[in-house]
Amino acid sequence: MKKLEARDHARAAADARTAARSSPDQPVTVLELGARPEAALKRAGIETISQALTRLEEGGDEAMLDVEGFGRKSLADLKKRLRQRGLLPEATEAEAEAA
């Protein structure tokens, strides 16, 4: 019985870690984009992953590229990290060719 309880506890902890990892309420610093892109996003008022997602959804790539100090490489890194966390759909062939 104790083994079953321990297994259930371990599964619950693993599920909680997975949910926390994919939470859009985390700061953008957890994406580890680098000091310059993170500073550029902070200056633009984008401090959480959800704010970055909102900006991408509303204005697309151009909205992110309009952020001073945030270029194409930073955008590609951002989108890659968001996809790894399951927060952004996989790239289409056109996006993959552009990157």
Side-chain angles (χ1 to χ4, degrees):
M1 193 63 156
K2 288 194 182 240
K3 286 184 180 182
L4 290 175
E5 289 175 4
R7 185 187 70 193
D8 289 344
H9 181 68
R11 279 188 183 165
D15 291 344
R17 282 192 304 273
T18 302
R21 186 176 189 278
S22 62
S23 172
D25 295 326
Q26 295 180 340
V28 292
T29 55
V30 300
L31 297 175
E32 298 176 355
L33 299 173
R36 287 184 182 187
E38 288 172 6
L41 291 173
K42 188 171 185 167
R43 281 192 306 273
I46 301 171
E47 296 187 10
T48 64
I49 293 173
S50 63
Q51 290 172 327
L53 287 169
T54 301
R55 184 125 180 198
L56 276 170
E57 289 171 4
E58 291 176 354
D61 292 355
E62 293 304 316
M64 292 303 291
L65 293 173
D66 287 343
V67 172
E68 186 177 336
F70 197 84
R72 293 204 177 274
K73 183 177 181 319
S74 299
L75 176 62
D77 289 343
L78 172 68
K79 291 171 91 175
K80 176 182 171 185
R81 302 256 166 53
L82 291 173
R83 284 187 187 102
Q84 288 172 342
R85 291 174 175 265
L87 298 170
L88 201 63
E90 289 299 316
T92 63
E93 286 185 34
E95 284 181 339
E97 290 175 9

